[in-house]
Short mmCIF file of all heavy atoms in Angstrom, two decimals:
data_model
loop_
_atom_site.label_atom_id
_atom_site.label_comp_id
_atom_site.label_asym_id
_atom_site.label_seq_id
_atom_site.Cartn_x
_atom_site.Cartn_y
_atom_site.Cartn_z
N LYS A 17 0.85 -1.19 0.00
CA LYS A 17 0.03 0.01 -0.02
C LYS A 17 0.89 1.26 -0.01
O LYS A 17 1.90 1.33 0.72
CB LYS A 17 -0.90 0.02 1.23
CG LYS A 17 -1.93 1.12 1.22
CD LYS A 17 -2.87 0.97 2.44
CE LYS A 17 -3.89 2.11 2.37
NZ LYS A 17 -4.85 2.03 3.52
N LEU A 18 0.51 2.21 -0.79
CA LEU A 18 1.28 3.47 -0.88
C LEU A 18 1.05 4.34 0.37
O LEU A 18 -0.03 4.41 0.93
CB LEU A 18 0.86 4.25 -2.10
CG LEU A 18 1.00 3.59 -3.49
CD1 LEU A 18 0.26 4.30 -4.55
CD2 LEU A 18 2.49 3.52 -3.87
N LYS A 19 2.17 5.00 0.76
CA LYS A 19 2.09 5.94 1.86
C LYS A 19 1.85 7.34 1.32
O LYS A 19 2.60 7.82 0.45
CB LYS A 19 3.37 5.92 2.73
CG LYS A 19 3.54 4.58 3.47
CD LYS A 19 4.79 4.68 4.35
CE LYS A 19 4.95 3.35 5.12
NZ LYS A 19 6.14 3.36 6.04
N ARG A 20 0.85 7.99 1.83
CA ARG A 20 0.40 9.32 1.25
C ARG A 20 0.93 10.44 2.22
O ARG A 20 0.81 10.35 3.45
CB ARG A 20 -1.12 9.37 1.27
CG ARG A 20 -1.71 10.63 0.73
CD ARG A 20 -3.23 10.46 0.65
NE ARG A 20 -3.94 11.65 0.24
CZ ARG A 20 -4.30 12.63 1.11
NH1 ARG A 20 -4.07 12.50 2.39
NH2 ARG A 20 -4.89 13.70 0.63
N PHE A 21 1.51 11.48 1.59
CA PHE A 21 1.88 12.68 2.34
C PHE A 21 1.82 13.89 1.48
O PHE A 21 1.76 13.81 0.26
CB PHE A 21 3.27 12.48 3.01
CG PHE A 21 4.39 12.29 2.04
CD1 PHE A 21 5.14 13.35 1.60
CD2 PHE A 21 4.66 11.00 1.56
CE1 PHE A 21 6.18 13.14 0.70
CE2 PHE A 21 5.74 10.77 0.65
CZ PHE A 21 6.49 11.92 0.24
N ILE A 22 1.76 15.01 2.11
CA ILE A 22 1.61 16.34 1.46
C ILE A 22 2.96 17.10 1.42
O ILE A 22 3.64 17.15 2.39
CB ILE A 22 0.53 17.21 2.14
CG1 ILE A 22 -0.77 16.44 2.32
CG2 ILE A 22 0.30 18.52 1.38
CD1 ILE A 22 -1.46 16.07 1.04
N VAL A 23 3.24 17.68 0.23
CA VAL A 23 4.41 18.62 0.17
C VAL A 23 3.91 19.95 -0.42
O VAL A 23 2.97 19.96 -1.16
CB VAL A 23 5.53 18.04 -0.74
CG1 VAL A 23 6.07 16.73 -0.15
CG2 VAL A 23 5.03 17.76 -2.15
N ARG A 24 4.64 20.96 -0.02
CA ARG A 24 4.33 22.31 -0.58
C ARG A 24 5.61 22.88 -1.17
O ARG A 24 6.51 23.28 -0.42
CB ARG A 24 3.83 23.21 0.56
CG ARG A 24 2.44 22.74 1.09
CD ARG A 24 1.97 23.51 2.34
NE ARG A 24 0.68 23.06 2.71
CZ ARG A 24 0.36 21.99 3.42
NH1 ARG A 24 1.37 21.22 3.82
NH2 ARG A 24 -0.90 21.68 3.75
N ASP A 25 5.70 22.86 -2.49
CA ASP A 25 6.99 23.12 -3.16
C ASP A 25 6.87 23.85 -4.50
O ASP A 25 7.32 23.31 -5.49
CB ASP A 25 7.72 21.79 -3.34
CG ASP A 25 9.15 21.95 -3.84
OD1 ASP A 25 9.71 23.01 -3.56
OD2 ASP A 25 9.64 21.02 -4.49
N PRO A 26 6.31 25.09 -4.63
CA PRO A 26 5.63 25.83 -3.56
C PRO A 26 4.14 25.51 -3.48
O PRO A 26 3.52 25.77 -2.51
CB PRO A 26 5.85 27.30 -4.04
CG PRO A 26 5.91 27.16 -5.50
CD PRO A 26 6.55 25.86 -5.84
N LYS A 27 3.59 24.89 -4.55
CA LYS A 27 2.18 24.55 -4.52
C LYS A 27 1.98 23.24 -3.79
O LYS A 27 2.91 22.38 -3.74
CB LYS A 27 1.61 24.51 -5.93
CG LYS A 27 2.20 23.37 -6.83
CD LYS A 27 1.58 23.42 -8.22
CE LYS A 27 2.15 22.32 -9.09
NZ LYS A 27 1.55 22.37 -10.48
N THR A 28 0.81 23.06 -3.23
CA THR A 28 0.46 21.85 -2.49
C THR A 28 0.27 20.67 -3.40
O THR A 28 -0.49 20.74 -4.36
CB THR A 28 -0.75 22.07 -1.64
OG1 THR A 28 -0.50 23.17 -0.71
CG2 THR A 28 -1.09 20.83 -0.80
N ARG A 29 1.00 19.58 -3.13
CA ARG A 29 0.82 18.35 -3.95
C ARG A 29 0.78 17.16 -3.02
O ARG A 29 1.37 17.11 -1.94
CB ARG A 29 2.05 18.16 -4.88
CG ARG A 29 2.17 19.27 -5.91
CD ARG A 29 3.36 19.01 -6.83
NE ARG A 29 4.58 19.05 -6.07
CZ ARG A 29 5.78 18.55 -6.50
NH1 ARG A 29 5.84 17.91 -7.66
NH2 ARG A 29 6.83 18.62 -5.77
N THR A 30 0.06 16.16 -3.48
CA THR A 30 0.02 14.90 -2.73
C THR A 30 0.90 13.91 -3.37
O THR A 30 0.80 13.58 -4.53
CB THR A 30 -1.43 14.33 -2.74
OG1 THR A 30 -2.33 15.28 -2.16
CG2 THR A 30 -1.53 13.07 -1.89
N ILE A 31 1.86 13.41 -2.55
CA ILE A 31 2.88 12.44 -3.04
C ILE A 31 2.58 11.06 -2.39
O ILE A 31 2.15 10.96 -1.28
CB ILE A 31 4.28 12.91 -2.62
CG1 ILE A 31 4.63 14.27 -3.14
CG2 ILE A 31 5.34 11.83 -3.10
CD1 ILE A 31 4.67 14.39 -4.68
N HIS A 32 2.74 10.01 -3.17
CA HIS A 32 2.52 8.66 -2.70
C HIS A 32 3.83 7.92 -2.80
O HIS A 32 4.36 7.66 -3.88
CB HIS A 32 1.44 7.97 -3.51
CG HIS A 32 0.10 8.54 -3.32
ND1 HIS A 32 -0.36 9.67 -4.01
CD2 HIS A 32 -0.94 8.19 -2.53
CE1 HIS A 32 -1.60 9.95 -3.61
NE2 HIS A 32 -2.00 9.04 -2.76
N ALA A 33 4.36 7.53 -1.60
CA ALA A 33 5.64 6.82 -1.54
C ALA A 33 5.43 5.31 -1.49
O ALA A 33 4.53 4.84 -0.80
CB ALA A 33 6.38 7.31 -0.29
N SER A 34 6.28 4.65 -2.22
CA SER A 34 6.19 3.20 -2.31
C SER A 34 7.22 2.53 -1.38
O SER A 34 8.25 3.11 -1.08
CB SER A 34 6.43 2.71 -3.72
OG SER A 34 5.51 3.22 -4.65
N ALA A 35 6.98 1.32 -0.94
CA ALA A 35 7.93 0.53 -0.23
C ALA A 35 9.18 0.32 -1.17
O ALA A 35 9.06 0.25 -2.34
CB ALA A 35 7.34 -0.83 0.15
N PHE A 36 10.31 0.19 -0.51
CA PHE A 36 11.57 0.10 -1.30
C PHE A 36 11.57 -1.13 -2.24
O PHE A 36 11.98 -1.02 -3.42
CB PHE A 36 12.81 0.02 -0.37
CG PHE A 36 14.07 0.07 -1.14
CD1 PHE A 36 14.53 1.14 -1.81
CD2 PHE A 36 14.85 -1.15 -1.19
CE1 PHE A 36 15.69 1.16 -2.53
CE2 PHE A 36 16.03 -1.17 -1.93
CZ PHE A 36 16.48 0.00 -2.58
N ARG A 37 11.06 -2.22 -1.79
CA ARG A 37 11.04 -3.42 -2.67
C ARG A 37 10.18 -3.20 -3.94
O ARG A 37 10.49 -3.69 -5.02
CB ARG A 37 10.52 -4.62 -1.91
CG ARG A 37 9.05 -4.71 -1.65
CD ARG A 37 8.63 -5.84 -0.72
NE ARG A 37 9.16 -7.14 -1.12
CZ ARG A 37 8.46 -8.00 -1.81
NH1 ARG A 37 7.23 -7.70 -2.26
NH2 ARG A 37 8.96 -9.18 -2.13
N ASP A 38 9.15 -2.36 -3.78
CA ASP A 38 8.29 -2.04 -4.95
C ASP A 38 9.08 -1.06 -5.90
O ASP A 38 8.92 -1.17 -7.12
CB ASP A 38 7.03 -1.40 -4.48
CG ASP A 38 6.14 -2.38 -3.72
OD1 ASP A 38 6.14 -3.57 -4.07
OD2 ASP A 38 5.49 -1.96 -2.78
N ARG A 39 9.89 -0.23 -5.34
CA ARG A 39 10.73 0.66 -6.21
C ARG A 39 11.73 -0.15 -7.00
O ARG A 39 12.00 0.22 -8.14
CB ARG A 39 11.45 1.69 -5.31
CG ARG A 39 10.54 2.64 -4.55
CD ARG A 39 11.33 3.66 -3.76
NE ARG A 39 10.67 4.03 -2.57
CZ ARG A 39 11.15 4.87 -1.64
NH1 ARG A 39 12.38 5.36 -1.83
NH2 ARG A 39 10.45 5.14 -0.57
N VAL A 40 12.20 -1.24 -6.43
CA VAL A 40 13.08 -2.08 -7.21
C VAL A 40 12.34 -2.67 -8.40
O VAL A 40 12.85 -2.75 -9.54
CB VAL A 40 13.62 -3.24 -6.31
CG1 VAL A 40 14.42 -4.28 -7.14
CG2 VAL A 40 14.52 -2.70 -5.20
N VAL A 41 11.09 -3.09 -8.18
CA VAL A 41 10.24 -3.61 -9.28
C VAL A 41 10.01 -2.55 -10.33
O VAL A 41 10.04 -2.82 -11.57
CB VAL A 41 8.93 -4.19 -8.72
CG1 VAL A 41 7.99 -4.59 -9.87
CG2 VAL A 41 9.19 -5.34 -7.77
N TYR A 42 9.77 -1.30 -9.88
CA TYR A 42 9.54 -0.20 -10.87
C TYR A 42 10.73 -0.06 -11.77
O TYR A 42 10.61 0.07 -12.96
CB TYR A 42 9.29 1.13 -10.15
CG TYR A 42 8.10 1.09 -9.20
CD1 TYR A 42 7.99 2.09 -8.21
CD2 TYR A 42 7.03 0.16 -9.27
CE1 TYR A 42 6.95 2.12 -7.32
CE2 TYR A 42 6.00 0.21 -8.43
CZ TYR A 42 5.92 1.18 -7.43
OH TYR A 42 4.87 1.21 -6.56
N HIS A 43 11.92 -0.08 -11.14
CA HIS A 43 13.12 0.04 -11.97
C HIS A 43 13.32 -1.16 -12.91
O HIS A 43 13.77 -1.04 -14.05
CB HIS A 43 14.37 0.17 -11.07
CG HIS A 43 14.58 1.57 -10.59
ND1 HIS A 43 15.27 2.54 -11.35
CD2 HIS A 43 14.25 2.17 -9.42
CE1 HIS A 43 15.33 3.65 -10.67
NE2 HIS A 43 14.74 3.48 -9.49
N ALA A 44 12.89 -2.35 -12.42
CA ALA A 44 13.01 -3.53 -13.28
C ALA A 44 12.10 -3.37 -14.49
O ALA A 44 12.49 -3.78 -15.59
CB ALA A 44 12.61 -4.76 -12.41
N ILE A 45 10.96 -2.86 -14.30
CA ILE A 45 10.03 -2.62 -15.46
C ILE A 45 10.61 -1.61 -16.42
O ILE A 45 10.61 -1.83 -17.64
CB ILE A 45 8.63 -2.08 -14.90
CG1 ILE A 45 7.93 -3.17 -14.10
CG2 ILE A 45 7.73 -1.67 -16.09
CD1 ILE A 45 6.71 -2.68 -13.35
N VAL A 46 11.06 -0.46 -15.89
CA VAL A 46 11.56 0.61 -16.74
C VAL A 46 12.88 0.12 -17.47
O VAL A 46 13.11 0.49 -18.62
CB VAL A 46 11.82 1.85 -15.94
CG1 VAL A 46 12.49 2.95 -16.82
CG2 VAL A 46 10.44 2.41 -15.43
N ASN A 47 13.65 -0.70 -16.79
CA ASN A 47 14.88 -1.22 -17.45
C ASN A 47 14.56 -1.94 -18.78
O ASN A 47 15.29 -1.85 -19.76
CB ASN A 47 15.56 -2.24 -16.58
CG ASN A 47 16.34 -1.53 -15.40
OD1 ASN A 47 16.56 -0.37 -15.43
ND2 ASN A 47 16.81 -2.37 -14.44
N ILE A 48 13.40 -2.61 -18.81
CA ILE A 48 13.01 -3.38 -19.99
C ILE A 48 12.24 -2.51 -20.99
O ILE A 48 12.48 -2.63 -22.23
CB ILE A 48 12.06 -4.58 -19.52
CG1 ILE A 48 12.82 -5.50 -18.57
CG2 ILE A 48 11.59 -5.33 -20.77
CD1 ILE A 48 14.12 -6.07 -19.11
N LEU A 49 11.38 -1.64 -20.51
CA LEU A 49 10.48 -0.90 -21.40
C LEU A 49 11.12 0.41 -21.97
O LEU A 49 10.83 0.79 -23.09
CB LEU A 49 9.15 -0.55 -20.72
CG LEU A 49 8.28 -1.78 -20.33
CD1 LEU A 49 6.95 -1.26 -19.78
CD2 LEU A 49 8.09 -2.74 -21.47
N GLU A 50 11.99 1.02 -21.20
CA GLU A 50 12.54 2.29 -21.66
C GLU A 50 13.28 2.20 -22.97
O GLU A 50 13.12 3.04 -23.84
CB GLU A 50 13.45 2.86 -20.58
CG GLU A 50 13.93 4.32 -20.87
CD GLU A 50 14.73 4.93 -19.72
OE1 GLU A 50 15.71 4.23 -19.31
OE2 GLU A 50 14.35 5.98 -19.25
N PRO A 51 14.15 1.18 -23.14
CA PRO A 51 14.85 1.10 -24.39
C PRO A 51 13.93 0.88 -25.64
O PRO A 51 14.32 1.15 -26.78
CB PRO A 51 15.77 -0.15 -24.27
CG PRO A 51 15.93 -0.30 -22.80
CD PRO A 51 14.59 0.16 -22.19
N ILE A 52 12.73 0.44 -25.36
CA ILE A 52 11.75 0.19 -26.43
C ILE A 52 11.01 1.48 -26.79
O ILE A 52 10.82 1.85 -27.93
CB ILE A 52 10.74 -0.95 -26.03
CG1 ILE A 52 11.47 -2.21 -25.90
CG2 ILE A 52 9.59 -1.01 -27.04
CD1 ILE A 52 10.65 -3.38 -25.32
N PHE A 53 10.57 2.21 -25.74
CA PHE A 53 9.72 3.36 -25.94
C PHE A 53 10.47 4.67 -26.13
O PHE A 53 10.06 5.53 -26.96
CB PHE A 53 8.72 3.54 -24.79
CG PHE A 53 7.56 2.59 -24.86
CD1 PHE A 53 7.61 1.36 -24.20
CD2 PHE A 53 6.43 2.92 -25.62
CE1 PHE A 53 6.54 0.48 -24.23
CE2 PHE A 53 5.37 2.00 -25.66
CZ PHE A 53 5.40 0.83 -24.97
N ASP A 54 11.56 4.85 -25.42
CA ASP A 54 12.27 6.15 -25.53
C ASP A 54 12.69 6.55 -26.93
O ASP A 54 12.56 7.73 -27.31
CB ASP A 54 13.50 6.15 -24.62
CG ASP A 54 14.02 7.56 -24.40
OD1 ASP A 54 13.47 8.27 -23.56
OD2 ASP A 54 15.01 7.92 -25.05
N PRO A 55 13.16 5.60 -27.80
CA PRO A 55 13.51 6.03 -29.19
C PRO A 55 12.29 6.53 -29.96
O PRO A 55 12.47 7.21 -31.00
CB PRO A 55 14.04 4.72 -29.77
CG PRO A 55 14.55 3.95 -28.60
CD PRO A 55 13.56 4.25 -27.52
N THR A 56 11.06 6.26 -29.51
CA THR A 56 9.86 6.67 -30.20
C THR A 56 9.47 8.11 -29.73
O THR A 56 8.57 8.68 -30.37
CB THR A 56 8.67 5.73 -29.99
OG1 THR A 56 8.20 5.82 -28.62
CG2 THR A 56 9.04 4.31 -30.27
N PHE A 57 10.08 8.59 -28.64
CA PHE A 57 9.69 9.90 -28.12
C PHE A 57 10.31 10.98 -29.02
O PHE A 57 11.38 10.80 -29.62
CB PHE A 57 10.20 10.10 -26.70
CG PHE A 57 9.54 9.16 -25.72
CD1 PHE A 57 10.13 8.95 -24.47
CD2 PHE A 57 8.39 8.48 -25.96
CE1 PHE A 57 9.57 8.08 -23.52
CE2 PHE A 57 7.82 7.62 -25.08
CZ PHE A 57 8.38 7.42 -23.82
N ILE A 58 9.67 12.15 -29.04
CA ILE A 58 10.21 13.28 -29.81
C ILE A 58 11.45 13.86 -29.08
O ILE A 58 11.63 13.69 -27.87
CB ILE A 58 9.18 14.41 -30.03
CG1 ILE A 58 8.74 15.04 -28.73
CG2 ILE A 58 7.99 13.83 -30.83
CD1 ILE A 58 7.96 16.31 -28.90
N HIS A 59 12.28 14.56 -29.83
CA HIS A 59 13.48 15.18 -29.23
C HIS A 59 13.11 16.14 -28.10
O HIS A 59 13.82 16.21 -27.11
CB HIS A 59 14.25 15.91 -30.31
CG HIS A 59 15.47 16.59 -29.81
ND1 HIS A 59 16.67 16.01 -29.54
CD2 HIS A 59 15.63 17.92 -29.43
CE1 HIS A 59 17.53 16.90 -29.11
NE2 HIS A 59 16.91 18.09 -29.02
N ASP A 60 12.05 16.85 -28.27
CA ASP A 60 11.73 17.98 -27.36
C ASP A 60 10.76 17.57 -26.19
O ASP A 60 9.97 18.40 -25.77
CB ASP A 60 11.21 19.16 -28.12
CG ASP A 60 12.30 19.82 -28.93
OD1 ASP A 60 13.40 20.06 -28.39
OD2 ASP A 60 12.09 20.09 -30.15
N SER A 61 10.83 16.31 -25.79
CA SER A 61 10.20 15.86 -24.57
C SER A 61 11.36 15.77 -23.52
O SER A 61 12.29 14.99 -23.71
CB SER A 61 9.55 14.52 -24.80
OG SER A 61 9.22 13.90 -23.55
N TYR A 62 11.26 16.57 -22.43
CA TYR A 62 12.48 16.74 -21.61
C TYR A 62 12.37 16.20 -20.18
O TYR A 62 13.37 16.29 -19.45
CB TYR A 62 12.77 18.25 -21.54
CG TYR A 62 13.40 18.77 -22.81
CD1 TYR A 62 12.60 19.26 -23.85
CD2 TYR A 62 14.79 18.65 -23.00
CE1 TYR A 62 13.17 19.73 -25.03
CE2 TYR A 62 15.35 19.13 -24.20
CZ TYR A 62 14.53 19.66 -25.18
OH TYR A 62 15.12 20.07 -26.37
N ALA A 63 11.25 15.65 -19.77
CA ALA A 63 11.13 15.15 -18.37
C ALA A 63 11.52 13.71 -18.29
O ALA A 63 11.17 12.91 -19.11
CB ALA A 63 9.71 15.38 -17.91
N SER A 64 12.27 13.37 -17.17
CA SER A 64 12.54 12.00 -16.82
C SER A 64 13.18 11.19 -17.97
O SER A 64 12.82 10.05 -18.22
CB SER A 64 11.23 11.30 -16.35
OG SER A 64 10.62 11.99 -15.32
#
């Protein structure tokens, strides 16, 4: 289950933090999918 908390930076946003083991899984997913999808993105997409 995600842990919910509020940050103000400067606007108020709700952030959901994952357990560390789940973050490992997220990276495992992106390791596989990013090389497939990133080459399809346009040059001028700049986030992450």
Side-chain angles (χ1 to χ4, degrees):
K17 187 175 181 180
L18 299 167
K19 291 184 179 179
R20 179 178 177 273
F21 60 96
I22 307 295
V23 297
R24 293 171 176 83
D25 187 25
K27 64 182 180 180
T28 300
R29 295 180 298 163
T30 302
I31 303 295
H32 292 81
S34 299
F36 183 71
R37 75 189 308 266
D38 295 324
R39 297 182 212 176
V40 173
V41 174
Y42 302 160
H43 277 279
I45 294 170
V46 174
N47 285 348
I48 301 302
L49 297 187
E50 187 176 55
I52 294 171
F53 282 95
D54 193 80
T56 71
F57 297 162
I58 65 167
H59 176 81
D60 290 312
S61 166
Y62 285 90
S64 305

